[in-house]
Amino acid sequence: MSVNRQILLRTRPEGLVGDDDFEHIEKPVPEPGEGDALIRTTWLSLDPTNRLWMREEPTYFPPVGLGEVMRGIGIGQVISSTNPELPEGAMVAGMVGWQDYILASEAMAPFTVIPEDLPVDVRHMLGVLGHTGMTAYFGLTDIGKPQPGETVVISAAAGAVGSVTGQMVKAMGARAVGLAGTAEKCRMVVEDLGFDACICYRDEDWREQLAAACPDGIDVDWESAGGEILDHMMGNMNLNGRIVICGLIAEYNDQPNKGVQNFDEVIMKRLTIGGFVVLDHMTDRGQEAVGAIAGLMAEGKIKPLETLTEGLETAPMALNRLYEGDNVGKLLIKVADPPL
């Protein structure tokens, strides 16, 4: 391509994002200088954290500035390079942003070169073998620590992280009980991914169904939803239970936060609550996580679950699929076909 398409954040959205919250522009493809590399985006990851980065309040990263390229994790191919660590033709993963091209020197963090002999499709480095799978791995091994026979409840069980988490829980010998937004998603995670049970949280009696699916109580809550689900979990944990705060997606679109009503249960049940950001561990322990997950995949104990779409221009509206329940597993946008 002779131009670099970019999607800029124009306004700070309220609720679900709209296409008018962004500006679509075209600029010349940047020229790499000495020691730099030009990277062409091939795959773009859509994650709940994209919505957080649009807010004015800082998170673990500063907010995306108005008029700036929307931040996004992705995979790209090195088109030209004078950087020996990023050789021409290599596939790399990192903060590519919502654009066709980026200079390595302008990225928020260094790019990681993907091995040429990767035994699975390269896009899995954004999902089950990337930050998604690592989130499940670090959250379970460091905070949840499920023991054989214990019960783990996973909210957003059909989502990118939840689907991997439940399969990993089963590999650890514990029971995996999911929460999902439709009966079809519940059927899928049980029949296709091996969860012990899954409850549709939109059913009026979901609390009663959950109690029936957890006859020995709840030892670990893998929390991606927040809101009333988190509140219910805190009131129904076993003694010495662990709550892993992976995300609070129910609250990312500026919905009113009613607050947790059962916080005294932290004392009464001696609960451990842990929040974490996967980026804190990727540099030092990334190979550990990828090795463990790849081993489970080779044994058939973890299956990737994905929703794929095409076209960089679809990114703003595709992001809403994470909040409307219109996707399963990892949501990815195919931007271009390598080799380029």
Side-chain angles (χ1 to χ4, degrees):
M1 294 182 65
S2 58
V3 297
N4 182 22
R5 297 175 300 164
Q6 296 180 321
I7 300 177
L8 314 182
L9 183 65
R10 192 170 71 85
T11 62
R12 303 213 179 273
E14 295 182 6
L16 296 175
V17 304
D19 205 46
D20 56 355
D21 291 315
F22 301 89
E23 182 179 2
H24 299 245
I25 68 170
E26 293 183 353
K27 296 183 69 174
V29 176
E31 293 285 343
E34 184 63 30
D36 207 348
L38 177 65
I39 296 166
R40 170 76 190 277
T41 304
T42 58
W43 286 97
L44 189 63
S45 171
L46 294 183
D47 303 284
T49 192
N50 286 120
R51 182 63 184 81
L52 279 181
W53 294 334
M54 298 176 195
R55 289 181 171 183
E56 191 170 6
E57 304 82 16
T59 58
Y60 50 89
F61 281 146
V64 176
L66 297 181
E68 292 182 356
V69 175
M70 181 57 207
R71 186 180 301 144
I73 302 171
I75 286 173
Q77 186 174 29
V78 179
I79 301 301
S80 59
S81 176
T82 56
N83 182 340
E85 296 183 0
L86 298 172
E88 188 171 318
M91 302 300 297
V92 297
M95 287 285 189
V96 295
W98 289 10
Q99 58 188 343
D100 286 309
Y101 295 91
I102 185 171
L103 293 175
S105 61
E106 297 180 354
M108 288 190 66
F111 282 91
T112 300
V113 176
I114 299 173
E116 292 184 7
D117 58 352
L118 193 70
V120 297
D121 193 292
V122 68
R123 70 175 185 267
H124 292 321
M125 294 302 296
L126 293 176
V128 65
L129 289 178
H131 59 284
T132 296
M134 291 185 194
T135 298
Y137 178 83
F138 294 131
L140 285 177
T141 57
D142 292 3
I143 303 172
K145 301 178 181 179
Q147 302 302 305
E150 288 190 329
T151 295
V152 182
V153 174
I154 302 109
S155 60
V161 175
S163 59
V164 178
T165 301
Q167 295 179 83
M168 201 172 293
V169 165
K170 292 297 295 179
M172 293 177 169
R175 296 183 70 247
V177 177
L179 289 171
T182 68
E184 175 57 25
K185 288 183 178 181
C186 288
R187 181 208 62 77
M188 179 189 61
V189 300
V190 171
E191 296 182 6
D192 298 343
L193 303 183
F195 282 54
D196 293 280
C198 188
I199 311 303
C200 178
Y201 63 80
R202 290 192 170 95
D203 290 349
E204 290 186 3
D205 64 340
W206 70 269
R207 295 171 180 81
E208 291 77 14
Q209 292 185 49
L210 183 62
C214 305
D216 296 323
I218 302 169
D219 299 293
V220 181
D221 170 34
W222 181 275
E223 191 57 55
S224 296
E228 64 174 345
I229 290 178
L230 173 57
D231 191 53
H232 180 76
M233 292 300 163
M234 290 190 68
N236 289 272
M237 299 293 294
N238 284 341
L239 191 67
N240 296 315
R242 288 84 71 198
I243 299 178
V244 185
I245 304 294
C246 171
L248 300 170
I249 194 169
E251 302 167 17
Y252 288 173
N253 280 313
D254 301 320
Q255 297 179 16
N257 185 347
K258 297 179 180 179
V260 175
Q261 307 299 312
N262 288 307
F263 206 77
D264 59 336
E265 294 291 340
V266 176
I267 300 172
M268 307 307 172
K269 299 287 184 63
R270 290 71 139 183
L271 302 180
T272 297
I273 303 176
F276 71 106
V277 175
V278 66
L279 297 176
D280 294 341
H281 308 289
M282 290 177 70
T283 301
D284 296 336
R285 297 174 59 199
Q287 290 186 344
E288 170 195 334
V290 171
I293 298 167
L296 292 173
M297 290 179 69
E299 295 174 16
K301 294 181 178 179
I302 290 184
K303 303 175 185 177
L305 189 63
E306 299 171 319
T307 296
L308 307 180
T309 187
E310 293 195 30
L312 175 67
E313 69 281 358
T314 68
M317 302 315 297
L319 181 65
N320 286 335
R321 300 178 71 171
L322 296 173
Y323 298 94
E324 297 173 325
D326 187 28
N327 76 289
V328 294
K330 184 67 188 179
L331 181 56
L332 296 170
I333 294 179
K334 184 178 181 181
V335 180
D337 275 313
L340 303 170

